[in-house]
Amino acid sequence: MRAIAVTKSRVLLVLAIIAAGLMWGGSAAAATKTIELCAKPGTIQLPGVPTPPPTTIWGFGIPTTPGDCSTATASLPGPQLDVTLSATEATTVTFHVINALPAGHSITFEIPGITFDAGAADVASGATLDRSFTAPASPPLSPPAPGAPNGPGTYLYGSGGDGGRQQAMGLYGALIVRPSTPGQAYESGTTAYNVEAPLVLSAIDPAFNNAADPGTYNMYSYRATYWLINGKAYPDTTAAAGQKVLLRYLNAGYDNTTMMLLGMHEHVVAKDAWPLSNAYDANAETIPAGATEDAIATVPAGGAPSSNGFPLFNRQLHLTNGDQTGQSPSPSAGGGMLTFIHP
């Protein structure tokens, strides 16, 4: 299993589990960003012994040919979207969302914590939607009002359509809005870091995802059996490490999820893309369903608590893959929502 190597002269970032994508409008003016997304069906391969068949998802993808969703690949989570703010002027970000889901499934595109311009949020199958928001200059040219929206931070984008079923199918991803100063999570220098690791936390019930029509599935029967970080379950997970590691948690699941880091503390600096006035240290943090949290972990001198490094895992012990009724964990070493930071 590969994790991360850290030396005094360089930081090697291994973040293979993150499906990352970035699309800017080629002809856009300065401080104007356009991001095109397709929502469409796809499949992923979940781990297990024996190997289970591919699992159906509905996911976001970025088309390689603008406007042509046949050139996009649905991923779980959706592509990581990055916006870096201007130091001199406001930035307008426009999402061009194409609904390529089966007929009858409208998308509701939303990003908690982002205040969009007035306009529609829903788009029918086969149609397109433009949603825009404006972010202030970074750092702000004047003191921001309390609760001012759309600043730097970690945001969870997704679709709330079909009574929340679309997000359970995989229509979610990370939006990272960065300040103009490199190497900081927010405007304050106290949020400086060396390496970042966005960690999208989620779960899958294959019976739901593989249903003939997830839109009519009885969610009282929903029972997650795979617990994922960035769409992967251990042992397929890896993580990034450095002198200071920014852990960007995004909980795309339906359960409040507690993540625990052994061998070092996390310094929690922001929740729901809002910097905390009183940051604090913790070794276990509960991220509510739909919420985000930013924490900085400083890799200590000396050895890690295990040969694999510093374990970062689900404290509720969702550390198995597949239905465990009457059987041992698969793989035998466990699985689920577990990764390691390796110095």
Short mmCIF file of all heavy atoms in Angstrom, two decimals, residues 37-42 44 56-62 69 73-79 81 97-102 105-112 123 125 155-174 200-204 208-209 214-215 222 251-254 290:
data_model
loop_
_atom_site.label_atom_id
_atom_site.label_comp_id
_atom_site.label_asym_id
_atom_site.label_seq_id
_atom_site.Cartn_x
_atom_site.Cartn_y
_atom_site.Cartn_z
N LEU A 37 -20.27 20.70 -15.95
CA LEU A 37 -20.46 19.40 -15.33
C LEU A 37 -21.58 18.65 -16.04
O LEU A 37 -22.61 19.23 -16.38
CB LEU A 37 -20.83 19.54 -13.85
CG LEU A 37 -19.75 20.02 -12.88
CD1 LEU A 37 -20.37 20.31 -11.52
CD2 LEU A 37 -18.64 18.99 -12.75
N CYS A 38 -21.37 17.35 -16.23
CA CYS A 38 -22.43 16.46 -16.71
C CYS A 38 -22.83 15.53 -15.57
O CYS A 38 -21.96 14.99 -14.87
CB CYS A 38 -21.95 15.61 -17.88
SG CYS A 38 -21.67 16.53 -19.41
N ALA A 39 -24.12 15.36 -15.37
CA ALA A 39 -24.63 14.36 -14.43
C ALA A 39 -25.14 13.19 -15.25
O ALA A 39 -26.03 13.35 -16.09
CB ALA A 39 -25.75 14.94 -13.58
N LYS A 40 -24.56 12.00 -15.04
CA LYS A 40 -24.90 10.88 -15.90
C LYS A 40 -24.67 9.56 -15.16
O LYS A 40 -23.95 9.52 -14.15
CB LYS A 40 -24.04 10.92 -17.17
CG LYS A 40 -22.54 10.86 -16.92
CD LYS A 40 -21.74 10.96 -18.21
CE LYS A 40 -21.97 9.78 -19.13
NZ LYS A 40 -21.12 9.80 -20.33
N PRO A 41 -25.23 8.47 -15.66
CA PRO A 41 -24.97 7.16 -15.05
C PRO A 41 -23.56 6.68 -15.34
O PRO A 41 -22.91 7.09 -16.30
CB PRO A 41 -26.01 6.25 -15.73
CG PRO A 41 -27.04 7.16 -16.31
CD PRO A 41 -26.29 8.41 -16.68
N GLY A 42 -23.06 5.81 -14.47
CA GLY A 42 -21.76 5.19 -14.65
C GLY A 42 -21.66 3.98 -13.73
O GLY A 42 -22.64 3.56 -13.13
N ILE A 44 -18.81 1.84 -10.82
CA ILE A 44 -17.55 1.76 -10.09
C ILE A 44 -17.34 0.32 -9.67
O ILE A 44 -18.30 -0.47 -9.61
CB ILE A 44 -17.52 2.68 -8.85
CG1 ILE A 44 -18.63 2.28 -7.85
CG2 ILE A 44 -17.63 4.12 -9.24
CD1 ILE A 44 -18.47 2.95 -6.51
N THR A 56 -23.63 0.34 -10.05
CA THR A 56 -24.12 1.51 -10.78
C THR A 56 -24.06 2.75 -9.90
O THR A 56 -24.36 2.70 -8.70
CB THR A 56 -25.57 1.27 -11.23
OG1 THR A 56 -25.62 0.13 -12.09
CG2 THR A 56 -26.12 2.49 -11.98
N ILE A 57 -23.65 3.85 -10.48
CA ILE A 57 -23.71 5.15 -9.81
C ILE A 57 -24.34 6.17 -10.74
O ILE A 57 -24.43 5.95 -11.96
CB ILE A 57 -22.31 5.65 -9.39
CG1 ILE A 57 -21.43 5.91 -10.63
CG2 ILE A 57 -21.64 4.69 -8.42
CD1 ILE A 57 -20.18 6.73 -10.33
N TRP A 58 -24.79 7.25 -10.17
CA TRP A 58 -25.03 8.48 -10.91
C TRP A 58 -23.99 9.46 -10.41
O TRP A 58 -23.90 9.73 -9.20
CB TRP A 58 -26.43 9.03 -10.65
CG TRP A 58 -27.53 8.19 -11.24
CD1 TRP A 58 -27.39 7.13 -12.08
CD2 TRP A 58 -28.94 8.35 -11.02
NE1 TRP A 58 -28.63 6.61 -12.40
CE2 TRP A 58 -29.60 7.35 -11.77
CE3 TRP A 58 -29.70 9.23 -10.27
CZ2 TRP A 58 -30.98 7.21 -11.78
CZ3 TRP A 58 -31.08 9.11 -10.27
CH2 TRP A 58 -31.71 8.10 -11.04
N GLY A 59 -23.17 9.97 -11.30
CA GLY A 59 -22.08 10.83 -10.87
C GLY A 59 -21.89 12.01 -11.80
O GLY A 59 -22.44 12.07 -12.90
N PHE A 60 -21.11 12.96 -11.33
CA PHE A 60 -20.73 14.11 -12.15
C PHE A 60 -19.43 13.80 -12.90
O PHE A 60 -18.58 13.06 -12.42
CB PHE A 60 -20.52 15.36 -11.29
CG PHE A 60 -21.79 15.95 -10.75
CD1 PHE A 60 -22.13 15.79 -9.41
CD2 PHE A 60 -22.64 16.66 -11.57
CE1 PHE A 60 -23.29 16.35 -8.89
CE2 PHE A 60 -23.82 17.22 -11.07
CZ PHE A 60 -24.14 17.06 -9.72
N GLY A 61 -19.29 14.39 -14.06
CA GLY A 61 -18.06 14.31 -14.84
C GLY A 61 -17.91 15.56 -15.66
O GLY A 61 -18.87 16.31 -15.88
N ILE A 62 -16.70 15.83 -16.12
CA ILE A 62 -16.40 17.00 -16.95
C ILE A 62 -16.19 16.52 -18.37
O ILE A 62 -15.32 15.67 -18.62
CB ILE A 62 -15.16 17.74 -16.45
CG1 ILE A 62 -15.46 18.38 -15.09
CG2 ILE A 62 -14.72 18.81 -17.45
CD1 ILE A 62 -14.29 19.11 -14.48
N CYS A 69 -21.91 15.27 -23.31
CA CYS A 69 -21.77 14.42 -22.13
C CYS A 69 -21.30 13.01 -22.46
O CYS A 69 -20.91 12.27 -21.55
CB CYS A 69 -23.08 14.37 -21.35
SG CYS A 69 -23.41 15.87 -20.39
N THR A 73 -17.03 11.18 -18.04
CA THR A 73 -17.11 9.94 -17.27
C THR A 73 -17.60 10.25 -15.87
O THR A 73 -17.00 11.07 -15.16
CB THR A 73 -15.73 9.26 -17.19
OG1 THR A 73 -15.27 8.95 -18.50
CG2 THR A 73 -15.80 7.97 -16.37
N ALA A 74 -18.69 9.61 -15.48
CA ALA A 74 -19.21 9.79 -14.13
C ALA A 74 -18.23 9.20 -13.13
O ALA A 74 -17.72 8.10 -13.33
CB ALA A 74 -20.57 9.11 -13.99
N SER A 75 -17.94 9.93 -12.05
CA SER A 75 -17.01 9.44 -11.05
C SER A 75 -17.61 9.57 -9.66
O SER A 75 -18.58 10.31 -9.44
CB SER A 75 -15.68 10.21 -11.12
OG SER A 75 -15.88 11.59 -10.84
N LEU A 76 -17.02 8.84 -8.71
CA LEU A 76 -17.47 8.86 -7.33
C LEU A 76 -16.25 9.08 -6.43
O LEU A 76 -15.39 8.21 -6.37
CB LEU A 76 -18.14 7.53 -6.96
CG LEU A 76 -18.74 7.47 -5.56
CD1 LEU A 76 -20.10 8.14 -5.56
CD2 LEU A 76 -18.86 6.04 -5.06
N PRO A 77 -16.16 10.24 -5.76
CA PRO A 77 -17.03 11.40 -5.89
C PRO A 77 -16.85 12.08 -7.24
O PRO A 77 -16.01 11.65 -8.04
CB PRO A 77 -16.56 12.31 -4.75
CG PRO A 77 -15.12 11.97 -4.59
CD PRO A 77 -15.02 10.48 -4.86
N GLY A 78 -17.62 13.12 -7.47
CA GLY A 78 -17.45 13.89 -8.69
C GLY A 78 -16.10 14.58 -8.71
O GLY A 78 -15.37 14.59 -7.71
N PRO A 79 -15.70 15.15 -9.84
CA PRO A 79 -14.39 15.80 -9.94
C PRO A 79 -14.21 16.90 -8.90
O PRO A 79 -15.16 17.62 -8.59
CB PRO A 79 -14.37 16.36 -11.37
CG PRO A 79 -15.80 16.41 -11.78
CD PRO A 79 -16.49 15.29 -11.09
N LEU A 81 -13.34 20.38 -7.80
CA LEU A 81 -13.40 21.66 -8.49
C LEU A 81 -12.65 22.69 -7.67
O LEU A 81 -12.84 22.78 -6.44
CB LEU A 81 -14.85 22.10 -8.69
CG LEU A 81 -15.78 21.06 -9.35
CD1 LEU A 81 -17.21 21.58 -9.39
CD2 LEU A 81 -15.29 20.70 -10.74
N VAL A 97 -24.39 23.10 -15.89
CA VAL A 97 -24.73 21.74 -15.51
C VAL A 97 -25.66 21.13 -16.56
O VAL A 97 -26.71 21.69 -16.89
CB VAL A 97 -25.42 21.70 -14.13
CG1 VAL A 97 -25.72 20.27 -13.71
CG2 VAL A 97 -24.54 22.38 -13.08
N ILE A 98 -25.25 19.97 -17.10
CA ILE A 98 -26.04 19.26 -18.11
C ILE A 98 -26.59 18.00 -17.46
O ILE A 98 -25.84 17.19 -16.91
CB ILE A 98 -25.18 18.89 -19.33
CG1 ILE A 98 -24.51 20.13 -19.91
CG2 ILE A 98 -26.03 18.20 -20.38
CD1 ILE A 98 -23.51 19.83 -21.02
N ASN A 99 -27.89 17.82 -17.52
CA ASN A 99 -28.54 16.66 -16.92
C ASN A 99 -28.66 15.56 -17.95
O ASN A 99 -29.50 15.61 -18.84
CB ASN A 99 -29.92 17.05 -16.38
CG ASN A 99 -30.61 15.89 -15.66
OD1 ASN A 99 -30.12 14.76 -15.67
ND2 ASN A 99 -31.74 16.17 -15.04
N ALA A 100 -27.79 14.54 -17.82
CA ALA A 100 -27.83 13.39 -18.72
C ALA A 100 -28.31 12.14 -17.98
O ALA A 100 -27.98 11.02 -18.36
CB ALA A 100 -26.46 13.15 -19.33
N LEU A 101 -29.10 12.33 -16.93
CA LEU A 101 -29.70 11.21 -16.21
C LEU A 101 -30.87 10.64 -17.01
O LEU A 101 -31.35 11.27 -17.97
CB LEU A 101 -30.19 11.66 -14.84
CG LEU A 101 -29.14 12.13 -13.83
CD1 LEU A 101 -29.82 12.50 -12.51
CD2 LEU A 101 -28.09 11.05 -13.60
N PRO A 102 -31.35 9.45 -16.63
CA PRO A 102 -32.52 8.90 -17.32
C PRO A 102 -33.71 9.84 -17.25
O PRO A 102 -33.82 10.67 -16.33
CB PRO A 102 -32.78 7.59 -16.55
CG PRO A 102 -31.45 7.21 -15.98
CD PRO A 102 -30.78 8.51 -15.64
N HIS A 105 -35.86 12.31 -14.24
CA HIS A 105 -35.07 12.62 -13.04
C HIS A 105 -34.46 14.02 -13.17
O HIS A 105 -33.44 14.20 -13.83
CB HIS A 105 -33.98 11.58 -12.83
CG HIS A 105 -34.51 10.21 -12.54
ND1 HIS A 105 -34.99 9.85 -11.29
CD2 HIS A 105 -34.66 9.12 -13.33
CE1 HIS A 105 -35.40 8.59 -11.33
NE2 HIS A 105 -35.22 8.13 -12.56
N SER A 106 -35.12 15.00 -12.54
CA SER A 106 -34.60 16.36 -12.53
C SER A 106 -33.50 16.48 -11.48
O SER A 106 -33.52 15.80 -10.46
CB SER A 106 -35.72 17.36 -12.21
OG SER A 106 -36.67 17.39 -13.26
N ILE A 107 -32.55 17.36 -11.74
CA ILE A 107 -31.45 17.64 -10.83
C ILE A 107 -31.73 18.95 -10.09
O ILE A 107 -32.24 19.91 -10.67
CB ILE A 107 -30.12 17.75 -11.59
CG1 ILE A 107 -29.67 16.38 -12.08
CG2 ILE A 107 -29.04 18.39 -10.74
CD1 ILE A 107 -28.43 16.45 -12.94
N THR A 108 -31.41 18.97 -8.80
CA THR A 108 -31.39 20.21 -8.04
C THR A 108 -29.94 20.46 -7.64
O THR A 108 -29.43 19.82 -6.72
CB THR A 108 -32.28 20.12 -6.79
OG1 THR A 108 -33.62 19.82 -7.18
CG2 THR A 108 -32.28 21.44 -6.02
N PHE A 109 -29.28 21.37 -8.34
CA PHE A 109 -27.85 21.61 -8.09
C PHE A 109 -27.70 22.60 -6.96
O PHE A 109 -28.22 23.72 -7.00
CB PHE A 109 -27.17 22.14 -9.35
CG PHE A 109 -25.68 22.26 -9.22
CD1 PHE A 109 -24.87 21.14 -9.29
CD2 PHE A 109 -25.08 23.50 -8.99
CE1 PHE A 109 -23.49 21.24 -9.16
CE2 PHE A 109 -23.70 23.61 -8.87
CZ PHE A 109 -22.90 22.47 -8.94
N GLU A 110 -26.95 22.19 -5.91
CA GLU A 110 -26.83 23.03 -4.73
C GLU A 110 -25.46 22.87 -4.10
O GLU A 110 -24.80 21.83 -4.24
CB GLU A 110 -27.93 22.68 -3.73
CG GLU A 110 -27.98 21.20 -3.36
CD GLU A 110 -29.27 20.83 -2.64
OE1 GLU A 110 -30.21 21.65 -2.62
OE2 GLU A 110 -29.32 19.72 -2.08
N ILE A 111 -25.03 23.92 -3.40
CA ILE A 111 -23.78 23.91 -2.66
C ILE A 111 -24.04 24.61 -1.32
O ILE A 111 -24.08 25.84 -1.27
CB ILE A 111 -22.64 24.62 -3.41
CG1 ILE A 111 -22.48 24.07 -4.82
CG2 ILE A 111 -21.33 24.49 -2.64
CD1 ILE A 111 -21.44 24.81 -5.65
N PRO A 112 -24.25 23.88 -0.24
CA PRO A 112 -24.48 24.53 1.05
C PRO A 112 -23.34 25.48 1.41
O PRO A 112 -22.16 25.15 1.28
CB PRO A 112 -24.54 23.35 2.03
CG PRO A 112 -24.99 22.18 1.19
CD PRO A 112 -24.35 22.40 -0.15
N VAL A 123 -33.02 21.38 -13.03
CA VAL A 123 -32.87 21.18 -14.47
C VAL A 123 -33.39 19.79 -14.82
O VAL A 123 -33.02 18.79 -14.18
CB VAL A 123 -31.41 21.36 -14.92
CG1 VAL A 123 -30.45 20.47 -14.13
CG2 VAL A 123 -31.26 21.13 -16.40
N SER A 125 -34.16 16.32 -17.09
CA SER A 125 -33.32 15.42 -17.87
C SER A 125 -33.24 15.89 -19.32
O SER A 125 -34.25 16.24 -19.93
CB SER A 125 -33.89 14.00 -17.81
OG SER A 125 -33.13 13.12 -18.58
N TYR A 155 -16.30 23.20 0.30
CA TYR A 155 -17.74 23.11 0.07
C TYR A 155 -18.08 21.76 -0.57
O TYR A 155 -17.30 21.21 -1.35
CB TYR A 155 -18.20 24.23 -0.87
CG TYR A 155 -17.98 25.63 -0.35
CD1 TYR A 155 -16.80 26.31 -0.62
CD2 TYR A 155 -18.96 26.28 0.39
CE1 TYR A 155 -16.59 27.60 -0.17
CE2 TYR A 155 -18.76 27.58 0.85
CZ TYR A 155 -17.58 28.24 0.57
OH TYR A 155 -17.38 29.52 1.02
N LEU A 156 -19.26 21.27 -0.27
CA LEU A 156 -19.77 20.02 -0.85
C LEU A 156 -20.84 20.36 -1.88
O LEU A 156 -21.89 20.91 -1.53
CB LEU A 156 -20.36 19.14 0.25
CG LEU A 156 -20.90 17.77 -0.16
CD1 LEU A 156 -19.76 16.84 -0.59
CD2 LEU A 156 -21.70 17.14 0.98
N TYR A 157 -20.55 20.08 -3.15
CA TYR A 157 -21.58 20.31 -4.17
C TYR A 157 -22.31 19.00 -4.45
O TYR A 157 -21.78 17.91 -4.23
CB TYR A 157 -20.98 20.89 -5.44
CG TYR A 157 -20.13 19.96 -6.29
CD1 TYR A 157 -20.70 19.13 -7.26
CD2 TYR A 157 -18.74 19.93 -6.15
CE1 TYR A 157 -19.92 18.29 -8.05
CE2 TYR A 157 -17.95 19.11 -6.94
CZ TYR A 157 -18.55 18.28 -7.88
OH TYR A 157 -17.79 17.45 -8.67
N GLY A 158 -23.54 19.11 -4.94
CA GLY A 158 -24.30 17.89 -5.22
C GLY A 158 -25.69 18.20 -5.71
O GLY A 158 -26.04 19.35 -5.99
N SER A 159 -26.48 17.15 -5.82
CA SER A 159 -27.87 17.27 -6.26
C SER A 159 -28.80 16.74 -5.18
O SER A 159 -28.60 15.63 -4.67
CB SER A 159 -28.12 16.50 -7.56
OG SER A 159 -29.51 16.52 -7.87
N GLY A 160 -29.79 17.54 -4.83
CA GLY A 160 -30.77 17.12 -3.84
C GLY A 160 -32.02 16.54 -4.47
O GLY A 160 -33.05 16.42 -3.80
N GLY A 161 -31.95 16.15 -5.75
CA GLY A 161 -33.13 15.64 -6.44
C GLY A 161 -33.57 14.26 -5.98
O GLY A 161 -32.83 13.54 -5.29
N ASP A 162 -34.79 13.88 -6.36
CA ASP A 162 -35.37 12.58 -6.02
C ASP A 162 -35.35 12.33 -4.52
O ASP A 162 -35.03 11.24 -4.03
CB ASP A 162 -34.65 11.44 -6.74
CG ASP A 162 -34.95 11.40 -8.23
OD1 ASP A 162 -36.10 11.73 -8.61
OD2 ASP A 162 -34.06 11.05 -9.01
N GLY A 163 -35.69 13.37 -3.75
CA GLY A 163 -35.78 13.21 -2.30
C GLY A 163 -34.47 12.79 -1.65
O GLY A 163 -34.48 12.05 -0.66
N GLY A 164 -33.35 13.27 -2.17
CA GLY A 164 -32.05 12.92 -1.62
C GLY A 164 -31.44 11.66 -2.20
O GLY A 164 -30.26 11.36 -1.94
N ARG A 165 -32.19 10.94 -3.01
CA ARG A 165 -31.67 9.69 -3.57
C ARG A 165 -30.51 9.94 -4.54
O ARG A 165 -29.63 9.09 -4.68
CB ARG A 165 -32.78 8.92 -4.27
CG ARG A 165 -33.85 8.35 -3.32
CD ARG A 165 -34.99 7.74 -4.12
NE ARG A 165 -35.97 7.08 -3.28
CZ ARG A 165 -36.98 7.70 -2.68
NH1 ARG A 165 -37.10 9.03 -2.82
NH2 ARG A 165 -37.83 7.04 -1.94
N GLN A 166 -30.54 11.08 -5.24
CA GLN A 166 -29.49 11.34 -6.22
C GLN A 166 -28.13 11.49 -5.54
O GLN A 166 -27.12 11.01 -6.07
CB GLN A 166 -29.82 12.59 -7.04
CG GLN A 166 -31.00 12.36 -7.99
CD GLN A 166 -31.31 13.58 -8.82
OE1 GLN A 166 -30.56 14.56 -8.82
NE2 GLN A 166 -32.42 13.55 -9.55
N GLN A 167 -28.08 12.11 -4.37
CA GLN A 167 -26.80 12.20 -3.68
C GLN A 167 -26.37 10.83 -3.20
O GLN A 167 -25.18 10.48 -3.27
CB GLN A 167 -26.88 13.17 -2.50
CG GLN A 167 -25.53 13.37 -1.81
CD GLN A 167 -25.43 14.65 -1.03
OE1 GLN A 167 -25.88 15.70 -1.47
NE2 GLN A 167 -24.84 14.58 0.16
N ALA A 168 -27.31 10.01 -2.74
CA ALA A 168 -26.96 8.65 -2.32
C ALA A 168 -26.44 7.83 -3.50
O ALA A 168 -25.62 6.92 -3.32
CB ALA A 168 -28.17 7.96 -1.71
N MET A 169 -26.86 8.15 -4.71
CA MET A 169 -26.38 7.45 -5.90
C MET A 169 -24.97 7.90 -6.30
O MET A 169 -24.31 7.22 -7.08
CB MET A 169 -27.33 7.69 -7.08
CG MET A 169 -28.63 6.89 -7.02
SD MET A 169 -28.35 5.12 -7.23
CE MET A 169 -27.82 5.03 -8.94
N GLY A 170 -24.52 9.07 -5.79
CA GLY A 170 -23.17 9.50 -6.09
C GLY A 170 -23.03 10.89 -6.66
O GLY A 170 -21.92 11.29 -7.05
N LEU A 171 -24.11 11.66 -6.71
CA LEU A 171 -24.03 13.01 -7.30
C LEU A 171 -23.56 14.01 -6.24
O LEU A 171 -24.34 14.78 -5.68
CB LEU A 171 -25.38 13.41 -7.88
CG LEU A 171 -25.72 12.76 -9.23
CD1 LEU A 171 -27.17 13.04 -9.62
CD2 LEU A 171 -24.78 13.26 -10.32
N TYR A 172 -22.24 14.00 -5.99
CA TYR A 172 -21.64 14.91 -5.03
C TYR A 172 -20.14 15.01 -5.32
O TYR A 172 -19.56 14.18 -6.02
CB TYR A 172 -21.86 14.44 -3.59
CG TYR A 172 -21.42 13.02 -3.32
CD1 TYR A 172 -20.09 12.70 -3.10
CD2 TYR A 172 -22.36 11.98 -3.29
CE1 TYR A 172 -19.69 11.40 -2.86
CE2 TYR A 172 -21.97 10.68 -3.06
CZ TYR A 172 -20.64 10.39 -2.84
OH TYR A 172 -20.24 9.09 -2.61
N GLY A 173 -19.55 16.05 -4.79
CA GLY A 173 -18.10 16.25 -4.96
C GLY A 173 -17.63 17.43 -4.16
O GLY A 173 -18.41 18.12 -3.49
N ALA A 174 -16.33 17.69 -4.22
CA ALA A 174 -15.70 18.76 -3.43
C ALA A 174 -15.45 19.98 -4.30
O ALA A 174 -14.90 19.88 -5.40
CB ALA A 174 -14.38 18.28 -2.84
N VAL A 200 -13.50 13.04 0.95
CA VAL A 200 -14.95 12.97 0.78
C VAL A 200 -15.42 11.66 1.40
O VAL A 200 -15.08 10.57 0.92
CB VAL A 200 -15.35 13.06 -0.70
CG1 VAL A 200 -16.87 13.03 -0.83
CG2 VAL A 200 -14.79 14.33 -1.33
N LEU A 201 -16.22 11.76 2.47
CA LEU A 201 -16.69 10.60 3.21
C LEU A 201 -18.08 10.22 2.72
O LEU A 201 -18.97 11.08 2.62
CB LEU A 201 -16.73 10.91 4.71
CG LEU A 201 -15.47 11.57 5.29
CD1 LEU A 201 -15.70 11.94 6.75
CD2 LEU A 201 -14.25 10.68 5.13
N SER A 202 -18.29 8.94 2.42
CA SER A 202 -19.60 8.52 1.91
C SER A 202 -19.79 7.03 2.13
O SER A 202 -18.90 6.34 2.65
CB SER A 202 -19.74 8.86 0.42
OG SER A 202 -18.78 8.16 -0.35
N ALA A 203 -20.95 6.54 1.75
CA ALA A 203 -21.28 5.13 1.92
C ALA A 203 -22.14 4.68 0.75
O ALA A 203 -22.78 5.50 0.07
CB ALA A 203 -22.03 4.90 3.23
N ILE A 204 -22.14 3.36 0.52
CA ILE A 204 -22.92 2.80 -0.59
C ILE A 204 -23.67 1.55 -0.12
O ILE A 204 -23.11 0.71 0.59
CB ILE A 204 -22.01 2.44 -1.78
CG1 ILE A 204 -21.67 3.70 -2.58
CG2 ILE A 204 -22.65 1.42 -2.71
CD1 ILE A 204 -20.90 3.45 -3.86
N PHE A 208 -29.37 -0.61 -3.32
CA PHE A 208 -30.00 0.64 -3.75
C PHE A 208 -29.43 1.10 -5.07
O PHE A 208 -30.17 1.42 -6.01
CB PHE A 208 -29.81 1.71 -2.67
CG PHE A 208 -30.09 3.10 -3.14
CD1 PHE A 208 -31.38 3.51 -3.43
CD2 PHE A 208 -29.06 4.02 -3.30
CE1 PHE A 208 -31.64 4.81 -3.88
CE2 PHE A 208 -29.29 5.31 -3.74
CZ PHE A 208 -30.60 5.71 -4.03
N ASN A 209 -28.10 1.16 -5.18
CA ASN A 209 -27.48 1.69 -6.39
C ASN A 209 -27.82 0.85 -7.62
O ASN A 209 -27.91 1.38 -8.74
CB ASN A 209 -25.97 1.76 -6.22
CG ASN A 209 -25.52 2.99 -5.47
OD1 ASN A 209 -25.74 3.08 -4.27
ND2 ASN A 209 -24.95 3.95 -6.16
N PRO A 214 -33.71 3.83 -8.94
CA PRO A 214 -33.44 4.33 -7.59
C PRO A 214 -34.46 5.37 -7.13
O PRO A 214 -34.66 5.54 -5.93
CB PRO A 214 -32.04 4.94 -7.72
CG PRO A 214 -31.43 4.25 -8.89
CD PRO A 214 -32.56 3.98 -9.83
N GLY A 215 -35.11 6.05 -8.08
CA GLY A 215 -36.07 7.08 -7.71
C GLY A 215 -37.29 6.55 -7.00
O GLY A 215 -38.00 7.30 -6.32
N TYR A 222 -32.79 1.05 2.94
CA TYR A 222 -31.41 1.41 2.65
C TYR A 222 -30.50 0.94 3.79
O TYR A 222 -30.75 1.22 4.97
CB TYR A 222 -31.29 2.92 2.48
CG TYR A 222 -29.91 3.40 2.09
CD1 TYR A 222 -29.55 3.53 0.77
CD2 TYR A 222 -28.98 3.75 3.07
CE1 TYR A 222 -28.28 3.99 0.41
CE2 TYR A 222 -27.72 4.20 2.72
CZ TYR A 222 -27.38 4.32 1.39
OH TYR A 222 -26.13 4.76 1.05
N ASN A 251 -18.55 15.43 4.35
CA ASN A 251 -19.40 14.28 4.65
C ASN A 251 -20.58 14.25 3.68
O ASN A 251 -21.56 14.96 3.85
CB ASN A 251 -19.90 14.33 6.09
CG ASN A 251 -20.62 13.05 6.49
OD1 ASN A 251 -20.83 12.15 5.66
ND2 ASN A 251 -21.01 12.95 7.75
N ALA A 252 -20.45 13.39 2.66
CA ALA A 252 -21.50 13.26 1.65
C ALA A 252 -22.47 12.14 1.99
O ALA A 252 -23.36 11.84 1.19
CB ALA A 252 -20.88 13.00 0.28
N GLY A 253 -22.31 11.52 3.15
CA GLY A 253 -23.19 10.42 3.55
C GLY A 253 -24.41 10.91 4.31
O GLY A 253 -24.65 12.12 4.46
N TYR A 254 -25.16 9.95 4.84
CA TYR A 254 -26.39 10.27 5.57
C TYR A 254 -26.23 10.10 7.07
O TYR A 254 -27.17 10.34 7.82
CB TYR A 254 -27.54 9.39 5.07
CG TYR A 254 -28.03 9.81 3.72
CD1 TYR A 254 -27.55 9.23 2.55
CD2 TYR A 254 -28.97 10.83 3.59
CE1 TYR A 254 -27.99 9.65 1.30
CE2 TYR A 254 -29.42 11.26 2.36
CZ TYR A 254 -28.92 10.66 1.22
OH TYR A 254 -29.35 11.07 -0.02
N GLY A 290 -23.63 16.05 5.47
CA GLY A 290 -23.74 17.24 4.63
C GLY A 290 -22.80 18.36 5.01
O GLY A 290 -22.78 19.39 4.32
#
